[in-house]
Amino acid sequence: MTEQRRERQDGRVAGEAEDGGGEAREGETREGENRQGETREGEAGEREARAWEELVATARRTVADGLVVGTSGNVSVRVGDLVLVTPSGVAYDRLRPQDLTAVGLDGRQVRGTLVPTSELPMHLAVYRTTDARAVVHTHAVHATAVSTLVPRLPLVHYMAAALGGPVRVAPYATYGTRQLAENMLDALTGRTGCLLQNHGTITYGATLDEAYDRTAQLEWMCRLWLTASSVPGRAPSLLTEEQLAEVEERLRDYGQRR
């Protein structure tokens, strides 16, 4: 009888220990999941912080390179389902890490307190309809001048191929409107950049550097055409569509292979 009572007691003790171990494991699992969640949130925050730093640097570069004056123009970059974008009416040299401004693809603000750029409809239209990861919009002087003269930039240089072909001019519409965004999308069909009539430029790319480089190339081509076409009694020679197509093919293998 003593042995039976001892066995029953041992059984109860063993069962209690086992039950306690199960609760401990469940607690460890929940704690592990919490740590993983915190890690993911931390990594996402770090990605956003890095992207914001790059965005601000690009925005400041547009000023330094004379592509915008004051707070004109705007820059954005996509991070997952968020679009980080320069705020409205704030000088780029005053932007700080804590000024991060972001919206969802639906335009709803989800980060920051500063009001996003008034040109947000254009940026979101690009992200919704292309594979863009970055967008740069400027009021570059030569490009804007060309936008007032012709319906598309004449093929004065083969680098038009880097933007997908002859650069079109989107018809004028008031800034910040849906109509401007629609006009822009039409002009961007098959292209990675276009001119905005009496307004400026917009380009996009897989990275901020790529989008910016396309903006710089577009401004340079516009300056080139204006310079060549200003010579009295002379007209610049232009490339044909066939010549441009040949360049597009060659550009596929341009640069270093990875």
Side-chain angles (χ1 to χ4, degrees):
M1 292 292 293
T2 303
E3 292 177 356
Q4 290 177 351
R5 284 196 299 272
R6 186 180 299 115
E7 288 175 359
R8 286 196 297 270
Q9 184 177 7
D10 291 344
R12 283 196 301 273
V13 171
E16 290 169 2
E18 184 176 346
D19 291 343
E23 291 175 359
R25 283 194 295 273
E26 288 178 6
E28 291 172 358
T29 299
R30 286 193 296 271
E31 184 178 350
E33 290 174 348
N34 290 336
R35 284 199 298 269
Q36 290 177 356
E38 292 173 357
T39 299
R40 286 193 293 269
E41 290 178 2
E43 291 174 349
E46 290 177 4
R47 286 196 300 271
E48 291 175 18
R50 287 195 301 269
W52 178 250
E53 183 179 352
E54 294 173 3
L55 180 148
V56 171
T58 301
R60 290 173 177 168
R61 187 178 176 190
T62 64
V63 177
D65 291 350
L67 298 177
V68 302
V69 176
T71 60
S72 64
N74 25 79
V75 179
S76 68
V77 62
R78 182 172 177 177
V79 180
D81 290 331
L82 289 184
V83 175
L84 278 58
V85 63
T86 49
S88 178
V90 179
Y92 299 143
D93 60 359
R94 290 171 49 197
L95 290 176
R96 305 162 298 171
Q98 58 266 39
D99 293 326
L100 187 153
T101 305
V103 302
L105 292 175
D106 59 0
R108 182 175 57 87
Q109 186 164 355
V110 293
R111 296 282 192 279
T113 58
L114 296 178
V115 177
T117 173
S118 57
E119 296 291 11
L120 187 59
M122 280 204 302
H123 289 259
L124 294 179
V126 173
Y127 290 120
R128 290 169 183 157
T129 57
T130 73
D131 59 356
R133 308 302 295 184
V135 175
V136 175
H137 166 53
T138 77
H139 292 179
V141 174
H142 299 92
T144 305
V146 170
S147 78
T148 70
L149 299 171
V150 291
R152 77 172 193 174
L153 175 63
L155 286 175
V156 71
H157 197 275
Y158 65 78
M159 281 307 292
L163 282 86
V167 179
R168 307 183 188 98
V169 178
Y172 179 80
T174 304
Y175 79 92
T177 62
R178 181 180 300 178
Q179 186 62 58
L180 177 58
E182 292 176 356
N183 293 351
M184 173 207 66
L185 286 180
D186 288 341
L188 280 178
T189 302
R191 305 288 186 270
T192 54
C194 73
L195 300 176
L196 306 170
Q197 190 176 52
N198 296 86
H199 189 153
T201 70
I202 191 161
T203 60
Y204 70 85
T207 64
L208 278 166
D209 282 344
E210 186 174 60
Y212 183 87
D213 287 345
R214 286 170 175 167
T215 296
Q217 287 286 355
L218 180 52
E219 168 66 357
W220 179 83
M221 286 190 292
C222 288
R223 183 179 181 183
L224 174 63
W225 181 72
L226 288 172
T227 302
S229 60
S230 67
V231 178
R234 303 296 298 271
S237 62
L238 302 177
L239 301 176
T240 65
E241 297 279 359
E242 291 73 19
Q243 289 171 323
L244 194 66
E246 183 180 352
V247 173
E248 289 178 343
E249 186 62 31
R250 291 179 66 85
L251 284 177
R252 298 181 193 279
D253 297 323
Y254 178 78
Q256 300 298 316
R257 291 185 174 84
R258 295 180 180 179

